[in-house]
Amino acid sequence: MERPLRRGFPGFQLLFATNPLASPGGTVEKTDTTPEATLHREAAEEAQLTLTDPVRLGWVLDETGEVYGGVGPNARLRLAARITAIGPAAVDPATGRPFARMLATPAQAAALLGWGPPGQRQAQLAAETARERWGLPAARTAAIEEIPAEGMRLS
């Protein structure tokens, strides 16, 4: 089972080097009409990302819901989307602090976050989705690097 990313974890928002996919996340708010709307909002709030073409990858069972205040068993939807823009770093309105934004391959991200075999499978599925749906090349292992505070241009 995947280990949830806790709010107390020192602020990684990971972008995957397959040009790129993102892993911001959070809870659905009243203004969110779909899970995809939640993804767009959270990506903008947490990592200043503009996304397009979100794809549902599947669900992960969270037996305790501890990451959401101990709400009990729940399933969390996993999505992937293509990033079209990376804006300047900003403070996340939910936490009151900026997150570090990193470039990593899907496999590196899953390993760094300690997601175990379920996370490795999700990372592989995200990479396959990027290749098949968006025609992006397979991620090559490289050094993990921080995105500059001013953001990045995507080619």
Side-chain angles (χ1 to χ4, degrees):
M1 183 172 112
E2 169 192 331
R3 186 184 73 178
L5 176 61
R6 301 177 191 284
R7 287 221 181 260
F9 191 86
F12 285 110
Q13 289 303 312
L14 298 170
L15 304 182
F16 299 145
T18 54
N19 187 27
L21 302 172
S23 65
T27 57
V28 176
E29 294 184 3
K30 292 177 184 175
T31 56
D32 298 332
T33 56
T34 64
E36 290 78 8
T38 302
L39 173 65
H40 284 284
R41 180 184 51 74
E42 290 286 351
E45 288 177 358
E46 294 181 6
Q48 297 70 56
L49 303 176
T50 303
L51 307 176
T52 188
D53 196 20
V55 177
R56 294 181 184 198
L57 298 176
W59 298 86
V60 174
L61 174 63
D62 178 351
E63 294 181 7
T64 66
E66 187 178 333
V67 73
Y68 299 116
V71 297
N74 65 88
R76 288 185 270 141
L77 179 61
R78 293 295 187 227
L79 299 107
R82 187 166 181 171
I83 297 173
T84 58
I86 303 173
V91 172
D92 174 23
T95 64
R97 62 188 172 133
F99 286 104
R101 302 175 305 166
M102 312 297 287
L103 291 174
T105 67
Q108 287 171 321
L112 178 65
L113 295 172
W115 286 353
Q120 290 294 335
R121 287 190 297 274
Q122 291 172 15
Q124 182 63 36
L125 181 56
E128 289 170 6
T129 298
R131 207 170 37 253
E132 293 168 9
R133 187 173 186 118
W134 302 307
L136 300 176
R140 290 180 296 180
T141 301
I144 295 172
E145 61 182 276
E146 189 167 354
I147 294 171
E150 62 272 12
M152 292 179 70
R153 276 184 65 108
L154 299 176
S155 46

